[in-house]
Each structure stands twice: as C-alpha cells, then as structure tokens.
Amino acid sequence: MADREDNFSYRLWRYDGAPGELIPLLQSAQIHFGYIPRRAISYISSVTGIPESEVYGVTTFYSQFRLQPTGKYVIRACAGTACHVSGSKQIIETIEDELGVEVGDTTKDGLFTLNTVACIGCCSLSPVVVINDDTFGRLTPSNLRKLLRGYKRREKSASTAAPVGENV
Amino acid sequence: MIKAIVGMSTCGISAGAQQVYDKLDELHKNNPESFELCRTGCISMCYREPLVEVRNNGDRIIYGDVTPELADEIFAKHIVGGTVLDEHVACSILPDGTFVGAEKAFHGPQKRIVLRNCGTIDPESLEEYEASGGYVALRKALLEMNSGEIIQEVKNSGLRGRGGAGFPTGLKWSFAAGYKSDIKYIVCNADEGDPGAFMDRSVLEGDPHSVLEGMIIAGKAIGSSFGYIYCRAEYPMAIRRLNIAIDDAREKGYLGKNILGSSFDFDVKIKQGAGAFVCGEETALFQSIEGHRGMPRIRPPFPAEKGLWQKPTNNNNVETYANVPWIIVNGAAAYSAYGTEKSRGTKVFALAGKVLHGGLAEVPMGTTINDLVFKVGGGIKNGKKFKAVQMGGPSGGCIPSELGNTPVDFESIPATGAIMGSGGMVVMDETTCMVEIARFFLNFTQDESCGKCTFCRVGTLRMLEILTRITHGEGEPEDLDKLLELGKHIKDASLCGLGQTAPNPVLTTIRYYRDEYLAHIIDKKCPAGSCSALVDFFINPDKCTGCTICAKNCPVDAIAGEAKKVHVINNEICAKCGKCVTVCNFDAVYKK
C-alpha cells in the first residue's frame, strides 16, 4: 500500500483536487525519476491546474528537489554545527578532492553526487557523511578516503550487486 | 524471561547497531528459549553507541560500545551464564530507577519526563506504550475532563512552548479554543531544522505515541478534529515510526471516530517537509502544508484565529506535545515542582560538539550551563579548555564559559543575548574560532532566507561578505561597527523569527569576543588556530610516514622532504590552501 501511495502516476491519477497536494506530488515524482524532469512539471501542472511557473517556483524553493539527475551514490556531507566544529569543512574538501567533484555536482562517470545537508541529527558522531542510506561517523580525511576508495573499488570490480556500507 | 534490547535510533544505527542486532537475531534464532530480542529508540548516551540493554525482571544493565563480537560474549556469559561483563557496562539501572556504574554522572542531574519512554520501550509497539502508562492520560482527558479543565490543567502546570519562543502553552490553547469555526486544526511542528539539534527526532523515533497522545488531548481542548504533523524529510525513520504508530492507534480506536466512546473524533496526517529551514516558522509552515513556497506572513491575524487554510489553528512542537500526557496523568502540581519560578518543568538538550559525553539530556529548567557541560557532558574532549556553548542554533548566540553559572531557563538565557531555542547545545573549546562560527551561522541563515524581506535577504549577505573577509585576513577596522549597524537593522525590519534573530550569532560573538575579532582584523591572526588564511601549517613528525603525497599535491611546492622521512612545510611559501590536510592518509598535518 505504501508503495502505491508513493507511486507518481497513481498519485496523479487519483488526484481529486484536494488542496495541498503539490509538494507530495513533487516528492513522488522525485522518487520515480530520481529528480524533477521538465516533463514532470508539465504533468503536475496539467493535472492540478497549477501554472507551470508556480510548480517550478515551489520546486526551486525547497532544497529537497533536484532539477538534475543524480549519481548512483548520493553523498550528503553534514555541515551542521556539531560537524562544523569537528571539521566538516575539511571533510567536504577531501570528498571534492578524492572524487573530483564540487558540492552540488555529479562525477563524470555518473557514480557520485555530492551535496551538503544542514544537519542529520547524529551530532554525537560528528563529522558525519551519509552515502545513500548508510551513515558514517567520526570521520577524518584519511579514513574517509579509504571509505570512498572502497566504493570506487567495488564499482570497478564490476559486480552488479549493490555494495554494502560498512561503518568506519 | 531475559530481554536483550538494542538501541535502534538513527544515531545508534549509524554507529553500528544494525550489525549488533543482526548478530543477536542470529543467536536468538538458534536459541529462541534463552532470551527475547527487542529494539528501542534512543537510549540517550549517544557517546557510547551502539548500546545493548540486558533486562532481567527489574534488573537493567546497559552495555556500551557493543560490537557483534561483544554481543556474542554478552550472550554466552551474561544471558546464558548469568555473569555480568563489568568492564563493558555503561550503566545499570536499579528497580527503583537509580543509576549506578560508569556513566552515572551523565544521568545524575537528569529528570526524564519527555524522554520517559525513550530507550525503554519498543517504539513500534503500542502494547509496550500502553504497558508503561500510555493513553491513560487520553482516557482521563476524554472521559473525565472537559475542554476548559484540560486547558486549566496545562495552564497551571506552567508548560511553555518548547520550540524556542516559550509562549505559555495553556494560554495558546485557550486562544484557539475561543474562536468559533466549523473546523480547527492541530499542527505539530516536527521540522527540527536547527543544525546541532536532535531532540525531536529522538522523541519521534523513540516514543511516537506520546506525541500523538498529546495532540489528541490538545484537539479535545481546542475543539479540533484533525491534526497535521509536519516532519522533516531528512528524518525517514521518524516518519516510518510515526506511520506505524498512527496505524496502530487507529486500529485500537485512539484515533478516528468516537474515540474511547467519548463521541470525540480526531485523526492525524503526516506532511513531509521538503527541506526549508524557514518552514520552522509557523506561518511559513502552514504555507508549506498548503503546497506553496514556505514564506512567512505578517501576524496578526495570529494562527489561533486564522492559521492553516485560514482556520483557527494550534501549533506546538514535538517536545511540548510529549509533555502533555505526563501533565494530565500526574497533575499540574507535580510538573510545576520542577524548574524555576517562571520556567516550569524540564527541558531536553542535545549536547554535542567538543563535549566528552554527547547525547540527549533532560534536566529540570534552571540547571546551570556548567552542570550540563561538566556533570552531564563529562567535560571537554582531549583535555582542552571550555570556551563557549552555542544555544538556539542559527537564531541563538554563543555564551562564554565565564557565564557558565547561568541557569538555563526562558529568562536567563535571553539576557545573555542568546536564545533558549529548541535545545541544541553545541559545546566549543579553545580551538573553535568565534568569528568563523559567526560566519558559519550567517552563511546558513543567508542561504535559508526565503527572500521576502529585503533586510534579511540582502543584509545578511552583506554581513556574510564582511565576516568572510575578516576570516580571510582582509578585515578593516570599521567592519565591526558596520556589522553592528546592519545587525540592528535586520532585526528591526524582518517579518519573521528567522530574520529577527539571524544577526544574533554575530552580535553575541562581538559582545563577548571583540578581542578575537580585533586579532583577525588588526593583527591578522586567528587565536584559535582555525581560519586557514591566518595560521601556519605543520606536520606532526610522529604521524608522518614520508609517503610524499602532500609534497606531490602542494600547488606551491612548499613541502620538502625525502621519501620515508618526515616532511616539513615552509610557511614562508605556503599559500594556506589546506590541500595537504585533506590528502594526508595519516592525519599528520595540523594548523596552529
């Protein structure tokens, strides 16, 4: 049931004009496409009657929505207060250097997207980085590099199985 | 039967609780007779995660820093053999609730009202919540009390909003109750956006029913039959557990039509936030629920008159609602026995930063900052000196260690220039640069400003530019006056709480650490050794292995040294880019 509720086309199809549905629709579009493509904005606009410009305005207001596709691994580096005090700036620079990518961008091979996040609430493990759904805490530049290289290695070894995150 | 309980909140899982749980699960499958395996929310001693509790009747022993191997040992020696592994015990809880053992100090000053069930019950089990006194308050409120009596009880308790502003909750409820309307709304603000704060997440993950129960009672009090929980999308586990709790409560008849035969109807819906800090402001939050850009509007009309969908609305945060059932069951007098004259009850703090024992602590209002940092928090990491605490997140301020005797309550904290905030308390030591911290917070609020008010949108950007210049060693003597003037205007000319408080981190740091600003501006030095442009870089000879990677990566060839020998940085040439720090595989480069 929960899957069906999240399904983008199902949600569009059963839209009954109830107010306040725009953000949930965008959220399910992002789950479906991995980002908000131009056509998703058109679909939503045509079904809800909300002008495309307004849908776009809401999309760009909230940091959760992305207008570009992301890599296979989305890295969210925490830049909250506790992580900042514990050196998150160096952590972010290390990721940028190791992967050759800047905050907000995706690597050329389409594997990694780097974003920052205000706080993920694991402050006692700071500094923290989340890769897809796995959280890694108490990082230093050196153990972070090992972690990232582990992901790269697993990808190179051409195994199709999704890598299992391990904590450092 | 012996129970093994694993702390499975987001931070526990990040620290490796899932692997520990899997290991115990495997042992449990092979020996289903020997023990019962359960999970719980945040046990609050985040610094000792992953945590496993072994409960045998009234005896509760909590192991800290558990690995899958240690879980194996706990099973063999404690669960089967009956011998406690003393050296791994974080603390034990006696049947009367007193704490003993290594981490006793952490629990000493605490009183758990909001966190009463966190870390002791399974958050995904309605039965366990009921067994620990859950929904007793709801029964009492619906069947024995009328709306006026509930509001009076909450008023008498002295409970004030825990989201930061500290508005008296009972009074707020009476406003919303006073307006007549075909429909009214209850809103729970679970958009915990302050970086460095995770109290609400822990309550939602550890005891979601207590928040629901508080909301239903509030619904009865103001005459509302529908509630929204606006929760951050960054908290997937909290949302999942809330959904389970809502489904269970519906099935059991605590939500829906004619609750407990009282002819009162109430239902709840979760709205996921989409990542905008300003949506913690209530009028922006309503806009977001309605599907618009989350921008605040002018008040009045206040939400009690025209809130969500232009209907009377009562909005409180997670912690406030979680207090309500306890007050209804134990009475206003029992609650107001804790705390200070004007700030009653307890407050949950998320202790983080450079403190030894980071975690969740619930203490009576009026506990001093020093008690929180040194007794609960165990002092500063690595033997460093306590410099300041940052309270209230980006809207708050830094309170220096000299004011450590300040009691935390709604009167004393604002007097220092900081705000009580939602309860994030980030501890800073001598290596934290106050100018850089002010810049960090301003960068955050600048980024999160919705753009409606010019002073907040443009003014914060100008302040950020000045602060960035100062941290780069390009500050000018008149910068401080410019910052103070801009800060004053932004406070005066912004519509919502975000803009009105955005300058606070800068104003408090200038107030208490003017010398540090002057050192950056006049002497071009960063006393804390933090701002890269104003410090020198060194290589720790004990850690350096002579791998040459730093020398190869240095863009200005400032690093000299032969392979397999300790390298040295020439600070005359060094461009202070910090590249060597990030490339070193041995964390050997440091700045001073």
Side-chain angles (χ1 to χ4, degrees), chain A residues 121-122 124-125 167, chain B residues 6-20 41-43 46 49-51 66 201 205 237:
Chain A
C122 299
S124 52
L125 300 172
N167 289 48
Chain B
V6 186
M8 304 275 277
S9 58
T10 300
C11 38
I13 289 173
S14 314
Q18 189 63 51
Q19 285 87 331
V20 171
C42 179
I43 309 184
C46 305
E49 297 273 17
L51 295 155
V66 183
R201 194 209 75 212
E205 287 180 1
M237 185 181 287

Side-chain angles (χ1 to χ4, degrees), chain B residues 318-559:
Chain B
V318 171
E319 195 183 330
T320 314
Y321 284 124
N323 268 305
V324 170
W326 195 94
I327 293 170
I328 298 293
V329 170
N330 297 281
Y335 188 82
S336 60
Y338 296 101
T340 62
E341 195 195 333
K342 287 189 174 154
S343 305
R344 302 288 186 183
T346 59
K347 176 80 195 86
V348 184
F349 287 98
L351 263 181
K354 298 293 178 74
V355 72
L356 207 52
H357 299 164
L360 269 195
E362 182 172 358
V363 292
M365 288 275 189
T367 305
T368 63
I369 293 172
N370 277 342
D371 277 355
L372 269 162
V373 174
F374 291 100
K375 284 193 184 153
V376 178
I380 308 296
K381 272 184 198 167
N382 304 325
K384 293 259 171 35
K385 227 176 99 201
F386 173 39
K387 184 169 183 179
V389 289
Q390 207 285 340
M391 281 185 73
S395 315
C398 293
I399 304 173
S401 57
E402 296 80 56
L403 298 179
N405 282 324
T406 309
V408 282
D409 61 46
F410 289 112
E411 277 67 46
S412 313
I413 297 298
T416 67
I419 63 162
M420 188 74 173
S422 58
M425 191 178 254
V426 180
V427 180
M428 295 160 186
D429 68 10
E430 54 197 306
T431 64
T432 315
C433 170
M434 289 298 152
V435 185
E436 165 44 36
I437 280 294
R439 194 200 63 80
F440 164 75
F441 279 116
L442 212 65
N443 187 33
F444 180 85
T445 35
Q446 209 287 312
D447 197 41
E448 293 291 345
S449 168
C450 77
K452 186 166 183 166
C453 308
T454 316
F455 277 84
C456 175
R457 184 181 68 236
V458 185
T460 54
L461 183 62
R462 292 289 96 84
M463 284 180 86
L464 179 62
E465 286 166 358
I466 296 175
L467 285 167
T468 307
R469 259 199 299 115
I470 296 177
T471 56
H472 286 171
E474 294 153 8
E476 291 155 13
E478 60 272 23
D479 280 347
L480 284 186
D481 289 335
K482 273 190 205 156
L483 285 172
L484 291 173
E485 195 192 341
L486 273 168
K488 184 179 169 298
H489 292 317
I490 294 170
K491 278 178 141 207
D492 287 345
S494 299
L495 204 56
C496 82
L498 189 149
Q500 286 162 9
T501 58
N504 279 353
V506 185
L507 300 181
T508 54
T509 47
I510 293 181
R511 175 164 160 194
Y512 297 116
Y513 298 97
R514 187 176 270 267
D515 290 350
E516 216 169 306
Y517 275 87
L518 292 176
H520 282 76
I521 296 170
I522 314 271
D523 311 332
K524 310 290 178 200
K525 283 277 168 227
C526 175
S530 164
C531 299
S532 291
L534 303 175
V535 295
D536 290 334
F537 287 76
F538 300 94
I539 292 173
N540 181 347
D542 298 333
K543 284 189 179 171
C544 179
T545 62
C547 72
T548 74
I549 194 161
C550 55
K552 278 184 200 147
N553 277 284
C554 180
V556 291
D557 293 328
I559 305 178

Side-chain angles (χ1 to χ4, degrees), chain B residues 194-235:
Chain B
D194 282 3
F198 51 95
M199 305 74 53
D200 294 350
R201 194 209 75 212
S202 297
V203 174
L204 292 172
E205 287 180 1
D207 194 14
H209 282 288
S210 68
V211 181
L212 286 182
E213 192 178 356
M215 287 179 73
I216 308 168
I217 294 170
K220 160 91 180 180
I222 72 157
S224 157
S225 58
F226 201 84
Y228 284 99
I229 302 175
Y230 186 86
C231 187
R232 287 180 85 191
E234 285 89 340
Y235 289 171

